[in-house]
């Protein structure tokens, strides 16, 4: 049991690291893509190419897109708050806000997530050490970027990015409450949600995306990397974390994004790593470690409870392990698959 818990924790940490690396590079690729595309064109490209990648992956893995009006209604709402709206707000905001301040504002997502969780009652078991880790992580992001030293930090661009961070928190909570652990594979959910986001972003293109594009090599590479790596792969990993560990743990990844942004700035742009930045990164990592340690314990307990419940349900009704006439997995299958 200890070995299983350790393997689960290691795998969860690896997923968070990959997610942070890909997600943290979003600011760089978005800035490059904006050199030849409008904000709404960047949003539409991210959603469309990302959806294509995930639909192909879904079919290749033997799964189908979900069916049913109720599921697609939830997917449409989730697509708006998790994809179409924040992608557009980040692209709009980065026209006037530098990447440093954007990273600080995006790192508020876990705080929004905690506030929503407390308001909705899903964070009743929140312990002081976990809350302290969240606050410590946010403090670290402020130390890294020192927004009080940035000129022109205020304005509509900053508000747009702050709105995107809050939108992520709303989306993670909504996805955790209405979509995951309900019998549909996460690859099917993530693919379908980006399909829905593509439709939503297409409606917005005429508003401000009919400008002439400049498809230079840098813009094209940035758009492809942003769509495939920073949208399709990242979004599916986010869904997996929400499914396995909850919405708050998915939001905690936001604390690592400023660290990735600083390292990319040093390696790609030749920016200096000051003592203040190094100290801030240490504080961020310490805060994330505190939140994940607490979250892992809760996840392990939840997985054990799900296993017991699934075993009891199977003993009471053997038919629960068979798919329904429409081919959808039963709740028992969902519980068992969620622990694999």
């Amino acid at each position: 049991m200890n070995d299983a818990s350790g393997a689960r924790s290691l795998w969860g940490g690896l997923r968070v690291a990959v997610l942070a690396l890909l997600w943290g590079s979003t600011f760089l690729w978005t800035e490059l893509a904006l050199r030849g595309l409008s904000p709404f064109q960047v949003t539409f490209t991210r959603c469309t190419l990302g959806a294509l990648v995930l639909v192909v992956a879904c079919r290749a893995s033997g799964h189908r897109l979900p069916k049913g009006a109720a599921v697609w209604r939830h997917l449409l709402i989730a697509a708006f708050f998790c994809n179409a709206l924040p992608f557009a707000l980040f692209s709009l905001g980065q026209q006037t806000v530098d990447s440093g301040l954007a990273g600080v504002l995006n790192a508020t997502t876990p705080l929004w997530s905690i506030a929503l969780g407390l308001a909705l009652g899903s964070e009743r078991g929140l312990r002081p050490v976990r809350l302290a880790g969240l606050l410590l992580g946010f403090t670290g992001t402020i130390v890294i970027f020192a927004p009080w030293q940035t000129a022109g930090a205020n304005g509509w661009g900053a508000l747009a990015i702050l709105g995107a961070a809050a939108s992520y928190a709303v989306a993670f909570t909504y996805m955790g409450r209405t979509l995951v652990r309900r019998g549909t594979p996460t690859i099917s959910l993530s693919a379908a949600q980006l399909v829905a986001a593509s439709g939503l972003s297409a409606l917005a293109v005429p508003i401000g995306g009919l400008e002439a594009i400049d498809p230079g090599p840098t813009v094209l590479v940035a758009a492809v990397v942003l769509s495939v790596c920073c949208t399709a792969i990242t979004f599916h990993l986010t869904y997996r974390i929400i499914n396995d560990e909850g919405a708050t743990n998915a939001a905690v990844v936001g604390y690592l994004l400023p660290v990735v942004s600083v390292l990319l700035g040093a390696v790609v742009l030749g920016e200096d790593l000051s003592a203040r930045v190094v100290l801030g990164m240490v504080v961020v990592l310490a805060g994330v470690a505190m939140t994940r340690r607490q979250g892992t314990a809760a996840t392990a307990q939840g997985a054990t409870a799900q296993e017991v419940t699934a075993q009891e349900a199977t003993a009471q009704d053997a038919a629960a392990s068979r798919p329904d006439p429409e081919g959808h997995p039963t709740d028992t299958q969902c519980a068992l698959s969620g622990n694999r």
Side-chain angles (χ1 to χ4, degrees), residues 96-141:
T96 57
V97 173
D98 61 14
S99 60
L101 182 57
V104 172
L105 296 175
N106 186 73
T108 62
T109 297
L111 295 182
W112 290 110
S113 182
I114 285 290
L116 284 172
L118 292 174
L120 296 175
S122 60
E123 288 289 345
R124 289 189 298 269
L126 184 67
R127 298 182 182 179
V129 65
R130 184 165 167 78
L131 180 59
L134 289 167
L135 295 176
L136 185 63
F138 182 62
T139 301
T141 63

Side-chain angles (χ1 to χ4, degrees), residues 71-296:
V71 175
W72 278 95
R73 183 169 59 251
H74 290 310
L75 285 169
L76 192 64
I77 296 173
F80 176 76
F81 286 105
C82 189
N83 307 111
L85 179 61
F87 291 176
L89 289 177
F90 273 120
S91 296
L92 288 168
Q94 282 195 249
Q95 290 184 310
T96 57
V97 173
D98 61 14
S99 60
L101 182 57
V104 172
L105 296 175
N106 186 73
T108 62
T109 297
L111 295 182
W112 290 110
S113 182
I114 285 290
L116 284 172
L118 292 174
L120 296 175
S122 60
E123 288 289 345
R124 289 189 298 269
L126 184 67
R127 298 182 182 179
V129 65
R130 184 165 167 78
L131 180 59
L134 289 167
L135 295 176
L136 185 63
F138 182 62
T139 301
T141 63
I142 295 178
V143 172
I144 289 175
F145 291 110
W148 55 85
Q149 297 180 359
T150 303
N154 298 320
W156 67 265
L159 292 177
I161 294 177
L162 186 62
S167 183
Y168 275 140
V170 172
F172 294 164
T173 302
Y174 186 82
M175 291 155 64
R177 294 170 67 92
T178 63
L179 290 169
V180 301
R181 301 193 188 101
R182 295 179 180 270
T184 304
T186 54
I187 184 64
S188 299
L189 290 173
S190 56
Q193 187 168 318
L194 277 187
V195 170
S198 299
L200 291 173
S201 60
L203 296 176
V205 169
I207 298 176
L210 296 180
E211 305 172 7
I213 64 174
D214 181 17
T218 300
V219 173
L220 290 177
V221 170
V224 171
V225 174
L226 183 63
S227 303
V228 176
C229 297
C230 302
T231 302
I233 296 176
T234 297
F235 181 51
H236 180 58
L237 286 177
T238 300
Y239 240 122
R240 289 298 306 171
I241 293 177
I242 294 174
N243 180 79
D244 296 344
E245 303 182 36
T248 301
N249 275 331
V252 165
V253 179
Y255 279 148
L256 292 174
L257 305 191
V259 178
V260 175
S261 299
V262 169
L263 292 178
L264 285 177
V267 174
V268 179
L269 303 177
E271 299 175 350
D272 294 331
L273 282 176
S274 65
R276 172 181 55 79
V277 171
V278 173
L279 174 62
M281 286 191 293
V282 171
V283 173
V284 168
L285 292 174
V288 171
M290 291 171 64
T291 56
R292 286 200 55 76
R293 181 184 61 184
Q294 201 69 14
T296 300

Side-chain angles (χ1 to χ4, degrees), residues 50-63 187-188 190-191 236:
L52 178 62
V53 170
L54 288 184
V55 168
V56 172
C58 180
R59 298 294 295 177
S61 61
H63 296 295
I187 184 64
S188 299
S190 56
H236 180 58

